[in-house]
């Protein structure tokens, strides 16, 4: 999965040397704009094991015909050294620009600058963004403090206190991570035809809400993504040509064909132009709920989307399953919700387990395509004050 691990320093150093020896990019200014420019924003912190193989797959995907059709740009942040913008084309890699001393890829200002620079240098008829990183969905940054430990019911606390682990949404750096709201603010409205997260847990209702005015199509996983990420040799051509459902199918089939713990995958394709209807339908369920979220009835059998080892407590749940467990007084509201969800989510698929055969395996009984946070009272001193003001909660009023 895309989680912290020991770095293969030598392999990564070799990769960086090869990047630095890429020839300088020299564009033919007489050429007109390509059909699409896709920027892959890579934060290699604690994922350098997989950086080189993914980059090689991207190069293998960009044959001359595809290179004439589209631009593939890769921004890579070399922790503690330099940052580079690469142009992948014709089975090779050109260095467009190097920022000596490196940039802070977790900074919204850096993201905004890289987007502006990349797209001004490689204009096209359409644009796409891939974020290659760690991810924790909506879960925000909090100052170091104490937090409840997951209790015996698997969902709340038994008044046990442990040191709180600082987590944020995505793009980790030693100096911090980036909040999803800040990420959204760094992206111009409607600029990207699609945004894809090659990062864990980014397929969340809170994430989708923040991005619904930023892009039409969102590709993301509600659970963890294995560290190898997307099979880029197979998906790059379809991403560039707008075959988003095929991208999702290829991703799922690639991991579904694996065995053991490697057979781990969950994916969804969302049409965010239709997400407001999902918000409206979920708000109606909340307003007509007959079951309190702190009750045993609500918690029993609730589908988790995170493993114990991720946050130390259950924070992310299946959105559809949460709606069902609220048991609205009008059963037709559930049907209306699922109609809206199925209209928004054009494709979703999942394996039955996350990391099958390990000591922290998660069984996936139901997968609606999105996760969500549940504001249990045990989070009143940690997540809930921040959650109350997030865009999704302002729309659905899950936490009053």
């Amino acid at each position: 999965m895309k989680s912290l691990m020991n770095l293969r320093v030598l392999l990564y150093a070799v990769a960086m040397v090869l990047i630095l020896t890429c020839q300088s990019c020299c564009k033919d200014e007489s050429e007109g704009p390509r059909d699409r420019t896709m920027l892959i924003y890579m934060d290699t912190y604690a994922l350098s094991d997989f950086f080189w193989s993914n980059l090689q797959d991207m190069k293998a995907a960009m044959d001359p015909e595809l290179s004439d059709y589209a631009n593939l740009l890769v921004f890579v942040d070399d922790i503690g050294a330099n940052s580079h913008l690469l142009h992948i084309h014709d089975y090779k890699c050109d260095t467009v620009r190097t920022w000596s001393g490196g940039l802070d890829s977790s900074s919204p200002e850096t993201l905004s600058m890289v987007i502006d620079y990349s797209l001004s240098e490689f204009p096209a008829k359409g644009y796409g963004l891939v974020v290659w990183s760690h991810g924790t969905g909506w879960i925000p940054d909090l100052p170091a403090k104490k937090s409840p430990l997951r209790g015996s019911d698997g969902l709340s606390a038994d008044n046990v206190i442990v040191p709180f682990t600082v987590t944020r949404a995505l793009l980790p750096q030693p100096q911090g991570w980036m909040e999803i709201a800040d990420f959204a603010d760094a992206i111009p409205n409607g600029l990207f035809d699609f945004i894809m997260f090659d990062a864990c847990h980014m397929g969340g209702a809170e994430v989708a809400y923040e991005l619904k005015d930023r892009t039409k199509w969102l590709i993301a996983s509600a659970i963890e993504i294995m560290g190898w990420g997307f099979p880029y040799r197979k998906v790059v051509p379809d991403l560039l040509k707008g075959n988003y459902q095929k991208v999702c199918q290829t991703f799922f089939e690639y991991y579904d064909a694996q065995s053991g713990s490697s057979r781990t995958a969950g994916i969804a394709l969302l049409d965010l132009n239709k997400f407001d209807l999902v918000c409206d339908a979920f708000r109606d369920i909340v307003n007509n709920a007959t079951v309190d979220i702190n009750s045993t009835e609500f918690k029993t059998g609730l589908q988790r989307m995170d493993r114990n080892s991720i946050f130390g407590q259950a924070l992310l749940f299946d959105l559809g399953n949460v709606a069902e467990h609220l048991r609205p007084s009008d059963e037709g509201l559930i049907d209306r919700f699922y109609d809206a969800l199925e209209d928004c989510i054009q494709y979703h698929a999942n394996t039955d387990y996350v990391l099958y055969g390990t000591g922290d395996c998660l069984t996936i009984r139901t997968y609606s395509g999105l996760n969500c946070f549940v504001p249990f009272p045990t989070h009143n001193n940690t997540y809930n004050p921040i959650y109350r003001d997030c865009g999704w909660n302002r729309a659905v009023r899950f936490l009053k």
Side-chain angles (χ1 to χ4, degrees):
M1 64 180 189
K2 295 222 163 191
S3 56
L4 298 179
M5 58 177 59
N6 294 329
L7 305 182
R8 297 190 183 113
V9 178
L10 179 59
L11 177 61
Y12 187 57
V14 170
M16 287 297 102
V17 169
L18 291 174
I19 284 176
L20 290 173
T21 58
C22 285
Q23 66 186 65
S24 298
C25 179
C26 182
K27 295 183 295 176
D28 183 352
E29 299 298 337
S30 65
E31 296 178 351
R34 300 287 199 267
D35 282 74
R36 172 162 288 164
T37 290
M38 181 169 73
L39 171 64
I40 301 180
Y41 193 87
M42 301 183 76
D43 175 7
T44 61
Y45 182 60
L47 282 173
S48 59
D49 291 34
F50 309 105
F51 160 73
W52 181 238
S53 62
N54 280 184
L55 188 65
Q56 290 294 88
D57 281 349
M58 294 171 198
K59 289 169 62 177
M62 291 302 292
D63 59 37
E65 181 179 357
L66 190 59
S67 299
D68 286 340
Y69 174 82
N71 301 305
L72 176 58
L73 305 178
V74 177
F75 171 79
V76 56
D77 187 8
D78 180 9
I79 306 302
N82 301 325
S83 299
H84 313 276
L85 181 65
L86 311 176
H87 178 206
I88 310 297
H89 66 100
D90 300 299
Y91 302 128
K92 61 184 180 180
C93 161
D94 289 343
T95 301
V96 177
R97 181 173 176 179
T98 295
W99 288 269
S100 298
L103 299 172
D104 176 8
S105 60
S106 68
S107 162
E109 291 76 20
T110 297
L111 174 62
S112 180
M113 182 275 292
V114 171
I115 290 173
D116 290 346
Y117 180 83
S118 301
L119 274 51
S120 65
E121 289 294 303
F122 293 86
K125 300 174 184 176
Y127 301 99
L129 175 65
V130 176
V131 180
W132 189 100
S133 172
H134 291 287
T136 58
W138 166 82
I139 306 303
D141 175 41
L142 292 174
K145 59 178 67 174
K146 293 184 181 295
S147 173
L149 182 69
R150 180 180 60 85
S152 58
D153 62 3
L155 301 175
S156 60
D158 288 336
N159 298 317
V160 180
I161 303 298
V162 297
F164 185 75
T165 300
V166 178
T167 59
R168 291 199 196 182
L170 70 164
L171 296 164
Q173 292 281 291
Q175 62 271 30
W177 295 47
M178 190 188 301
E179 305 285 2
I180 187 60
D182 294 334
F183 172 84
D185 287 343
I187 299 173
N189 280 8
L191 173 63
F192 291 110
D193 303 321
F194 75 89
I195 295 176
M196 185 179 90
F197 286 106
D198 193 352
C200 299
H201 296 120
M202 297 307 293
E206 298 86 359
V207 174
Y209 189 90
E210 295 295 338
L211 297 178
K212 68 185 181 68
D213 297 322
R214 299 300 193 266
T215 186
K216 174 176 172 61
W217 298 105
L218 175 65
I219 300 172
S221 174
I223 56 175
E224 291 168 74
I225 287 182
M226 298 298 289
W228 298 279
F230 279 73
Y232 284 97
R233 186 180 304 210
K234 297 181 178 181
V235 303
V236 161
D238 287 315
L239 280 171
L240 291 173
K241 294 180 180 179
N243 301 324
Y244 308 128
Q245 182 167 322
K246 188 176 179 183
V247 169
C248 294
Q249 291 172 331
T250 298
F251 170 83
F252 174 71
E253 290 169 1
Y254 176 82
Y255 283 103
D256 193 41
Q258 308 300 318
S259 60
S261 60
S262 296
R263 187 177 174 266
T264 295
I267 199 67
L269 170 64
L270 282 74
D271 180 352
L272 293 184
N273 288 350
K274 301 177 180 178
F275 190 69
D276 280 336
L277 294 177
V278 176
C279 298
D280 294 343
F282 190 82
R283 181 180 62 245
D284 289 343
I285 289 174
V286 169
N287 289 339
N288 292 274
T290 64
V291 176
D292 184 84
I293 64 171
N294 206 38
S295 67
T296 300
E297 182 181 0
F298 177 81
K299 296 174 183 177
T300 301
L302 193 62
Q303 177 64 64
R304 289 185 60 175
M305 305 303 274
D306 55 359
R307 295 178 302 117
N308 293 336
S309 60
I310 302 301
F311 302 113
Q313 55 184 321
L315 294 180
L316 298 175
F317 303 88
D318 182 77
L319 179 67
N321 200 230
V322 168
E324 292 173 2
H325 279 231
L326 288 171
R327 291 181 171 80
S329 55
D330 181 354
E331 293 183 1
L333 293 177
I334 291 292
D335 293 334
R336 176 174 170 249
F337 168 76
Y338 272 113
D339 285 345
L341 195 64
E342 290 171 7
D343 198 30
C344 174
I345 299 181
Q346 302 293 299
Y347 174 88
H348 67 90
N350 65 280
T351 53
D352 298 328
Y353 302 95
V354 175
L355 296 185
Y356 179 77
T358 67
D360 195 17
C361 170
L362 176 66
T363 300
I364 305 296
R365 304 181 313 277
T366 181
Y367 188 92
S368 66
L370 285 171
N371 65 46
C372 72
F373 176 77
V374 176
F376 293 116
T378 49
H379 302 314
N380 282 345
N381 295 322
T382 51
Y383 297 108
N384 285 356
I386 303 173
Y387 178 81
R388 179 177 282 109
D389 293 328
C390 81
W392 164 255
N393 187 63
R394 291 198 305 271
V396 303
R397 305 306 298 167
F398 202 6
L399 178 63
K400 302 296 191 286

